[in-house]
Amino acid sequence: FFSLHFTATMATGPSQRTDSIALYGTPSSTQRPGAPNWTKAFYWVLLVGCTAAIGVTCWHYPLFPFRLDSLAWATNWLLATCVDYWGAALCLSGVILASERFPAGPIWVAGCLLLGSPVCCLWVLHRLHRHGTLGLAGTQ
């Protein structure tokens, strides 16, 4: 599973040192921390909620064949699509909060949640430019 922690980067001459501290205070340099229980619970609830919302929509309003002439079908699929996007954006938000310093992390998250996929793409490009990879392990 993914470990939610904040990262602080300190300049130490020509190279930079990165120290990660888990939200509950265990330095990851001495041991690899697990995500706090509230973080795991949040993502479990998000998984169940998103799965239920999309599942109920599929059950009552099958996706195929498209029924674009039905207001109920279109409205329910619009809501399911919003739940699906926000579920994915909240997962990306956890990665952003674990990767970015304050206040940049919360600003990126607000952008992703309020302005959508263009800001998510912009953060990915920012990360690629800054780190040269989208990998989360071993980046400094």
Side-chain angles (χ1 to χ4, degrees):
F1 283 104
F2 150 73
S3 173
L4 184 63
H5 60 277
F6 289 110
T7 302
T9 303
M10 300 171 3
T12 57
S15 66
Q16 290 189 357
R17 190 180 110 236
T18 302
D19 292 325
S20 298
I21 299 177
L23 288 177
Y24 54 88
T26 304
S28 64
S29 59
T30 58
Q31 71 183 59
R32 182 179 176 155
N37 286 337
W38 66 265
T39 305
K40 292 176 185 176
F42 172 79
Y43 284 107
W44 274 109
V45 169
L46 184 63
L47 169 67
V48 170
C50 289
T51 303
I54 294 168
V56 167
T57 302
C58 283
W59 181 261
H60 291 289
Y61 301 94
L63 183 57
F64 299 108
F66 290 138
R67 294 178 23 204
L68 300 178
D69 57 340
S70 168
L71 181 60
W73 183 90
T75 301
N76 279 279
W77 273 107
L78 175 62
L79 293 174
T81 302
C82 290
V83 167
D84 187 38
Y85 170 77
W86 275 55
L90 286 169
C91 291
L92 179 61
S93 295
V95 175
I96 292 171
L97 288 174
S99 304
E100 299 291 333
R101 290 184 233 148
F102 185 84
I107 291 170
W108 279 111
V109 167
C112 291
L113 295 177
L114 300 175
L115 300 173
S117 59
V119 176
C120 295
C121 292
L122 190 60
W123 179 80
V124 167
L125 289 169
H126 164 75
R127 180 155 179 90
L128 283 170
H129 175 74
R130 203 166 98 200
H131 297 286
T133 182
L134 288 177
L136 298 177
T139 60
Q140 292 188 10

